[in-house]
């Protein structure tokens, strides 16, 4: 343990060298901007900037990439909150409460909470990584298809509580998401399914960002137009030091949620199948389920911003673990980081920890500094981002529409997805008018393919025997917790009735 | 960290300086005008993925392209998603595909995909990849091919073989083994060779026919062991592992790792990419990677020669699929 702390300390000191510190600040700033641009995403950012890493020493290069990665995780929240368009898939859950807060003129509160929660997520996960990396890597190996499926059930269970009291409508919304998730090529046989004749655009399935941007970007705009008849009130947000201190005091509202979200996020991140997006959605669901006032979620609750933001940052550190020990990157950005490692002659695998501890702990040490730097940069930028909201609606609306189109086009670069996004926008607006919760549909389209794959793999392996999910210790426990969670809203309702 | 990274930086910097001079020597005037999409028809962590990421890094390091190569994984439907994507990109000069043998098999098996790979623009063959049969080291009673076959036969359909998808080369090899040894197994597809390796180490599957690159690190760590190699001769990296032919089983199978463009790529672009990848092929880094990872990189095949090679392989795979039956591969 002393050895690890020494190496981690050395890594942190290394990151504080002038050149490295400069790379951190540059990387975080670039990452923030890249993350805030819908559809650009950190993947392209890191890929395009990879050449820069060959001009500086490798340590600085790793730090630079890690800083972009971290910056982008924070940045995704910015457009989620100020514009209501998720900048990256990891920031979709941040829209749920971030956007309502901004509409109430409390964008600064939401942005501060996102920054602080991200910092908590980063810090908690670095500590967990330092203490438990090797045992967790071994634990991740125990996760076979049945365990992955059980984990997905757990995620769905946390979302039953998401739709408020109307459980049938929530389940309906989840099912719509699941149906949309089956469009594309069959996972097992590779045959096209539900592609509406032969529309090639459906072959790659429905991109989750297309759905999210459609529902939250376009749908929200339509809703705003209807509810305000175009006379949108502009919120003047005063930013001062005292204001910031006041926002920091909100911390007590979400410290617990953030810590829980961080632990959950880190753990989900270490599983090669999952990643930061499911982690953030699960964390949101969990925060709502166990909140004293769950009905406040989705209407602008600070904890609803903090929970997903803490989890997605923690998961991004967690996803380093399968990358380092198994060579399986947990996210597209870590995949590019992996490319950098191979160039430097480092082969990821179970031996990397013992053969090149200086690299592993140096990387983690630099993440820690990057995390801290991004917090400061982000807090400094908040007044600038908040000013976006002081623009008149007639100026802001076209900008949002353009960003939605760019965000819908970018992932696959086909107009097919842009039209689809508009369609989802209209559908999202109608669902909202009919009082259907849309968040569960978004969750289902993210987790649907993962759940389907693991379900079919499990059943192939057990030759159709469903008990496989209950007889294995880890998956059995997860399934049991999932079932209890699904019943939890019913129990609460019953108790509320009894009390009344 | 510095200790082992410094020499690499020195080479990187000197490579950049050196190439500044030789860049003008490039024959074609055409150069990429925007980032090049580097499509991988398999998931992350697999052999194709590792190769694409290494190539992308080398292109950056050696400054071979004015615009970056961006690796994009399209693993859906045994590579069908990637193939159809390329087919629909007809005439595009900024998209390249890193192939596996599913380049041949997926269009044969999935007839309604609407893909004809013989129309694609062949650039160059970077390597021939090899296959070994792997089991978890915990299976102490399995030490060679005979004990393996005995174990599979006694387990029957509950023996689980992991692979990267129905119709992928490992499923063909699995079907070939089923035919040769007269047993039947349950084949479970995973997204990418890296995930297969992880599931073998975690004992969620019983065996797999991974490429060396996908198992090497776990082999070195003592998690898994190879039983047989499906090559003509023993590879330098595995001197103690017998080939199937030595044991009297007539299975020899390779996988090509080649770079191809969409149909109708312009001649100038084709010339640029052929030149770029031939430089990479001859680079010391690539040749070292080939030796370490059990890849055969002794013959550079590009352009029309590669098209001819593809032609032969398509015929061979049609025969193989007929021989073992498409159902044996798709598991239907």
């Amino acid at each position: 343990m002393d050895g690890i702390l020494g190496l981690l300390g050395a890594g942190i000191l290394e990151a504080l060298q002038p050149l490295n510190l400069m790379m951190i600040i540059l990387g975080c700033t670039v990452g923030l901007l890249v993350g805030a641009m819908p559809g650009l995403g950190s993947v392209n950012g890191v890929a395009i900037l990879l050449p820069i890493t060959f001009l500086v020493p490798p340590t600085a290069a790793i730090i630079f990439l890690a800083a972009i990665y971290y910056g982008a995780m924070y940045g995704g929240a910015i457009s989620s909150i100020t514009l209501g368009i998720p900048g990256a898939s990891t920031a979709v859950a941040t829209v749920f409460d971030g956007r309502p807060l901004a509409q109430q003129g409390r964008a600064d509160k939401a942005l501060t909470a996102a920054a602080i929660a991200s910092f908590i997520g980063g810090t908690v996960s670095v500590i967990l990584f330092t203490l438990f990396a090797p045992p967790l890597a071994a634990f991740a190996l125990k996760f076979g298809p049945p365990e992955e499926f059980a984990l997905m059930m757990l995620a769905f269970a946390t979302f039953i509580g998401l739709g408020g009291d109307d459980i049938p409508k929530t389940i309906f919304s989840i099912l719509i998401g699941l149906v949309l998730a089956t469009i594309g090529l069959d996972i097992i046989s590779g045959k096209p399914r539900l592609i509406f004749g032969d529309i090639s655009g459906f072959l790659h399935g429905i991109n989750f960002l297309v759905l999210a941007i459609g529902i939250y970007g376009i749908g929200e705009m339509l809703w705003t137009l209807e509810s305000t008849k175009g006379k949108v009130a502009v919120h003047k947000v005063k930013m001062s030091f005292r204001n910031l201190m006041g926002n920091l005091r909100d911390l007590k509202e979400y410290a617990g949620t953030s810590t829980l979200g961080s632990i959950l996020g880190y753990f989900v991140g270490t599983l090669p199948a999952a990643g930061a997006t499911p982690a953030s959605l699960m964390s949101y669901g969990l925060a709502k389920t166990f909140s004293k006032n769950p009905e406040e979620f989705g209407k602008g609750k600070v904890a609803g911003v903090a929970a997903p933001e803490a989890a997605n940052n923690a998961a991004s550190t967690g996803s380093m673990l399968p990358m380092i020990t198994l060579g399986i990157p947990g996210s597209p950005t870590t995949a590019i980081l992996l490319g950098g490692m191979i160039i430097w002659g480092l082969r990821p695998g179970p031996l990397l920890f013992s053969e090149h501890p200086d690299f592993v702990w140096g990387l983690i040490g630099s993440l820690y500094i990057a995390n801290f730097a991004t917090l400061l940069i982000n807090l400094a930028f908040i007044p600038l981002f908040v000013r976006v909201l002081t623009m008149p609606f007639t100026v802001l609306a076209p900008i949002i529409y353009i960003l939605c189109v760019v965000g819908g086009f970018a992932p696959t670069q086909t107009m097919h997805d842009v039209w689809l996004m508009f369609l989802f926008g209209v559908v999202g607006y109608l669902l909202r008018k009919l009082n259907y919760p849309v968040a569960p549909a978004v969750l289902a389209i993210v987790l649907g393919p993962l759940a389907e794959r693991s379900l079919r793999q499990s059943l192939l392996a057990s030759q159709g025997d469903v008990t496989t999910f209950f007889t294995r210790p880890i998956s059995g426990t997860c399934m049991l917790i999932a079932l209890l969670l699904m019943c939890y809203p019913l129990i609460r309702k019953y108790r509320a009735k009894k009390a009344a | 960290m510095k200790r082992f990274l410094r020499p690499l930086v020195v080479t990187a910097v000197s490579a950049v300086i050196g190439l500044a001079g030789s860049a003008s020597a490039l024959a074609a005037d055409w150069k990429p005008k925007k980032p090049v999409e580097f499509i991988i028809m398999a998931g992350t962590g697999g052999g194709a993925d590792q190769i694409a990421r290494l190539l992308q890094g080398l292109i950056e390091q050696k400054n071979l392209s004015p615009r970056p190569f961006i690796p994009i994984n399209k693993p859906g439907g045994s590579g069908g998603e990637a193939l159809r994507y390329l087919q629909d990109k007809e005439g595009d000069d900024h998209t390249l595909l890193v192939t596996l043998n599913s380049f041949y098999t997926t269009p044969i098996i999935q007839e309604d995909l609407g893909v004809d790979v013989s129309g694609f623009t062949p650039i160059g063959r970077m390597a021939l990849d090899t296959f070994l049969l792997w089991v978890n080291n915990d299976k102490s009673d399995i030490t060679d091919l005979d004990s393996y076959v005995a174990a599979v036969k006694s387990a029957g359909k509950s023996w689980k073989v992991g692979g990267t998808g129905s119709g992928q080369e490992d499923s063909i090899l699995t079907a070939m083994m089923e035919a040769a040894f007269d047993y039947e197994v349950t084949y479970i597809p995973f997204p990418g060779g890296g995930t297969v390796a992880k599931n073998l180490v975690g004992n969620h599957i019983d065996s797999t026919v991974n490429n060396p690159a996908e198992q090497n690190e776990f082999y070195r760590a003592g998690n898994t062991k190879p039983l047989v190699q499906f090559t003509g001769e023993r590879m330098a990296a595995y001197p103690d592992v017998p080939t199937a032919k030595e044991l009297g089983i007539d299975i020899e199978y390779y996988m090509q790792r080649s770079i191809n463009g969409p149909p109708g790529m312009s001649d100038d672009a084709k010339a640029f990419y052929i030149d770029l990848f031939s430089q990479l092929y001859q680079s010391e880094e690539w040749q070292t990677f080939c030796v370490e990872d059990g890849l055969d990189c002794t013959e550079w095949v590009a352009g029309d020669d590669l098209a001819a090679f593809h032609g032969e392989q398509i015929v061979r795979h049609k025969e193989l699929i007929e021989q073992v039956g498409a159902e044996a591969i798709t598991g239907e």
Side-chain angles (χ1 to χ4, degrees):
Chain A
M1 196 79 242
D2 275 353
I4 290 174
L5 284 180
L7 288 165
L8 186 62
I12 291 175
L13 280 180
E14 182 82 31
L16 288 171
Q17 304 278 329
L19 173 69
N20 296 343
L21 203 58
M22 201 186 83
M23 294 310 274
I24 288 181
I25 293 170
L26 189 67
C28 291
T29 315
V30 171
L32 267 180
L33 297 177
V34 164
M37 271 298 287
L40 190 52
S42 58
V43 191
N44 288 330
V46 173
I48 291 165
L49 292 165
L50 196 64
I52 295 183
T53 62
F54 294 113
L55 301 177
V56 294
T59 319
I62 299 165
I63 290 174
F64 183 61
L65 291 178
I68 296 178
Y69 187 40
Y70 246 88
M73 279 288 160
Y74 279 75
I78 294 167
S79 51
S80 288
I81 293 169
T82 53
L83 304 175
I85 319 168
S89 61
T90 50
V92 169
T94 314
V95 180
F96 300 163
D97 276 273
R99 182 64 181 154
L101 273 169
Q103 284 167 331
Q104 294 156 21
R106 293 189 292 160
D108 57 321
K109 249 186 200 320
L111 286 167
T112 313
I116 306 260
S118 295
F119 179 68
I120 295 176
T123 311
V124 169
S125 60
V126 171
I127 294 170
L128 288 174
F129 197 110
T130 315
L131 296 178
F132 302 116
L136 259 177
F139 185 70
L141 279 175
K142 289 211 169 71
F143 259 70
E147 284 77 19
E148 279 166 26
F149 180 71
L151 187 77
M152 293 303 138
M153 288 312 288
L154 207 55
F156 281 119
T158 60
F159 258 58
I160 296 289
L162 252 196
D165 291 333
D166 205 335
I167 292 171
K169 277 185 173 173
T170 307
I171 292 174
F172 178 78
S173 178
I174 288 183
L175 291 179
I176 287 188
L178 283 178
V179 170
L180 291 176
T182 56
I183 292 175
L185 293 166
D186 183 279
I187 294 162
I188 302 288
S189 73
K191 297 224 159 59
R193 59 183 185 190
L194 294 178
I195 57 166
F196 300 90
D198 187 27
I199 302 175
S200 69
F202 284 114
L203 273 181
H204 57 74
I206 292 187
N207 190 299
F208 149 71
L209 264 183
V210 170
L211 180 82
I213 292 178
I215 287 181
Y216 290 104
I218 304 290
E220 183 71 30
M221 291 298 278
L222 294 174
W223 178 258
T224 310
L225 274 179
E226 187 197 290
S227 55
T228 62
K229 306 273 183 290
K231 292 193 190 93
V232 181
V234 172
H235 296 288
K236 289 264 183 305
V237 182
K238 281 206 195 86
M239 280 304 289
S240 64
F241 186 68
R242 192 197 291 168
N243 218 330
L244 176 68
M245 283 298 130
N247 289 337
L248 288 179
R249 267 196 294 279
D250 288 345
L251 182 62
K252 60 179 183 297
E253 266 184 57
Y254 56 81
T257 314
S258 302
T259 314
L260 186 69
S262 307
I263 296 169
L264 175 83
Y266 174 74
F267 179 70
V268 174
T270 57
L271 302 173
T277 307
S280 62
L281 289 162
M282 283 171 79
S283 171
Y284 183 87
L286 211 61
K288 181 171 176 181
T289 308
F290 288 111
S291 165
K292 283 191 195 93
N293 336 342
E295 68 283 352
E296 287 174 16
F297 275 81
K299 290 168 192 151
K301 196 169 170 60
V302 183
V305 174
E309 279 302 307
N312 70 25
N313 267 56
S316 61
T317 308
S319 69
M320 297 273 172
L321 194 63
M323 180 187 87
I324 291 169
T325 59
L326 302 171
I328 305 172
S331 69
T333 319
T334 39
I336 297 194
L337 224 52
L338 186 70
M341 282 170 62
I342 296 177
I343 290 292
W344 296 315
L346 295 163
R347 287 300 173 79
L351 297 179
L352 193 70
F353 257 101
S354 48
E355 288 179 359
H356 300 299
D358 40 359
F359 167 80
V360 175
W361 296 110
L363 176 63
I364 300 304
S366 67
L367 270 184
Y368 197 76
I369 298 294
N371 193 23
F372 195 68
T374 321
L375 173 74
L376 293 180
I377 294 171
N378 206 355
L379 286 179
F381 269 133
I382 286 178
L384 182 74
F385 294 129
V386 169
R387 283 194 78 87
V388 170
L389 290 172
T390 59
M391 274 192 251
F393 188 68
T394 44
V395 175
L396 194 56
I399 294 178
I400 292 181
Y401 271 114
I402 289 169
L403 286 177
C404 284
V405 172
V406 171
F409 183 77
T412 54
Q413 314 216 341
T414 52
M415 276 312 281
H416 169 87
D417 280 351
V418 177
W419 302 128
L420 211 57
M421 179 201 70
F422 279 116
L423 182 70
F424 284 134
V426 175
V427 172
Y429 162 74
L430 291 175
L431 282 178
R432 195 165 164 177
K433 261 191 95 80
L434 297 169
N435 229 354
Y436 278 90
V438 286
V442 173
L443 173 96
I445 204 169
V446 177
L447 300 184
L450 298 173
E452 186 198 344
R453 187 196 300 278
S454 52
L455 174 69
R456 292 177 66 178
Q457 284 170 342
S458 310
L459 290 179
L460 272 175
S462 72
Q463 302 186 47
D465 185 2
V466 189
T467 53
T468 182
F469 297 113
F470 298 95
T471 51
R472 299 164 62 112
I474 299 173
S475 83
T477 315
C478 287
M479 290 299 263
L480 208 65
I481 299 174
L483 287 175
L484 286 175
L485 272 177
M486 282 182 198
C487 300
Y488 186 70
L490 287 175
I491 299 167
R492 199 169 52 197
K493 215 170 176 178
Y494 174 74
R495 275 168 59 189
K497 236 181 219 160
K498 221 175 166 187
Chain B
M1 177 176 329
K2 279 183 191 159
R3 181 170 41 81
F4 59 92
L5 288 176
R6 183 163 291 146
L8 285 160
V9 184
V10 176
T11 31
V13 171
S14 52
V16 170
I17 296 167
L19 279 161
S22 66
S24 56
L26 287 178
D29 293 334
W30 189 90
K31 284 193 170 57
K33 294 170 193 67
K34 58 179 189 179
V36 179
E37 285 184 29
F38 208 28
I39 309 290
I40 304 151
M41 54 190 298
T44 49
D49 186 59
Q50 290 185 20
I51 286 171
R53 293 186 194 285
L54 175 65
L55 289 175
Q56 174 227 8
L58 288 175
I59 290 167
E60 295 295 347
Q61 196 182 46
K62 295 174 181 296
N63 205 10
L64 294 178
S65 165
R67 294 283 178 272
F69 279 53
I70 300 182
I72 300 171
N73 295 84
K74 290 192 185 287
S78 299
E81 181 193 358
L83 289 172
R84 179 64 189 259
Y85 183 77
L86 230 73
Q87 182 83 45
D88 294 343
K89 280 263 180 178
E90 186 162 351
D92 189 285
D93 285 347
H94 294 89
T95 308
L96 291 175
L97 178 74
V98 186
T99 64
L100 290 70
N101 277 5
S102 45
F103 182 67
Y104 308 126
T105 55
T106 299
I108 299 174
I109 295 168
Q110 300 176 36
E111 285 160 354
D112 42 2
L113 196 64
V115 169
D116 176 19
V117 293
S118 58
F120 285 18
T121 309
I123 306 292
R125 192 182 79 195
M126 298 305 290
L128 285 176
D129 207 341
T130 54
F131 291 92
L132 291 95
L133 174 66
W134 300 88
V135 292
N136 193 304
N137 224 357
D138 296 348
K139 292 198 190 299
S140 52
D141 52 328
I142 299 179
T143 50
D144 55 15
L145 187 63
D146 288 339
S147 50
Y148 171 80
V149 173
V152 179
K153 281 194 169 161
S154 70
K157 278 288 256 181
S158 67
W159 187 270
K160 300 181 284 285
V161 176
T164 52
S166 312
Q168 301 278 38
E169 42 296 311
D170 58 58
S171 73
I172 293 177
L173 199 46
T174 304
M176 284 160 87
M177 288 176 72
E178 281 179 322
F181 298 116
D182 192 31
Y183 59 62
E184 263 191 75
V185 296
T186 298
Y187 180 82
I188 303 174
F190 291 90
T195 321
V196 176
K198 179 222 148 193
N199 277 281
L200 185 70
V201 176
N203 266 324
H204 304 293
I205 52 175
D206 298 308
S207 67
T208 172
V209 279
N210 266 141
N211 301 124
E214 295 161 347
Q215 285 285 353
N216 248 346
E217 289 300 304
F218 299 105
Y219 175 44
R220 287 208 303 131
N223 295 327
T224 59
K225 58 186 174 191
L227 297 175
V228 183
Q229 41 188 331
F230 299 99
T231 49
E233 280 162 36
R234 292 187 187 196
M235 287 181 273
Y238 301 94
D240 302 328
V241 182
T243 66
K245 289 205 160 167
E246 284 173 41
L247 300 172
I249 313 296
D250 187 25
I251 301 180
E252 184 180 345
Y253 192 71
Y254 299 96
M255 166 154 65
Q256 46 82 34
R257 303 285 192 190
S258 69
I259 313 291
N260 298 272
M265 180 182 261
S266 73
D267 287 343
D268 288 348
K270 184 180 166 186
F272 172 84
Y273 290 125
I274 290 180
D275 184 58
L276 185 152
F277 284 102
S278 80
Q279 287 186 45
L280 284 176
Y281 187 80
Q282 284 147 17
S283 70
E284 200 187 318
E285 291 92 338
W286 179 254
Q287 290 295 333
T288 313
F289 177 82
C290 288
V291 173
E292 279 175 4
D293 277 31
L295 297 171
D296 179 353
C297 299
T298 45
E299 192 191 353
W300 168 245
V301 179
D304 294 341
D305 294 340
L306 180 59
F309 174 79
H310 283 335
E312 288 165 21
Q313 288 291 318
I314 291 171
V315 173
R316 164 138 201 252
H317 279 92
K318 271 193 181 139
E319 286 168 8
L320 275 177
I321 289 170
E322 258 168 43
Q323 199 183 326
V324 297
E327 320 76 54
I329 294 163
T330 54
E332 280 169 5

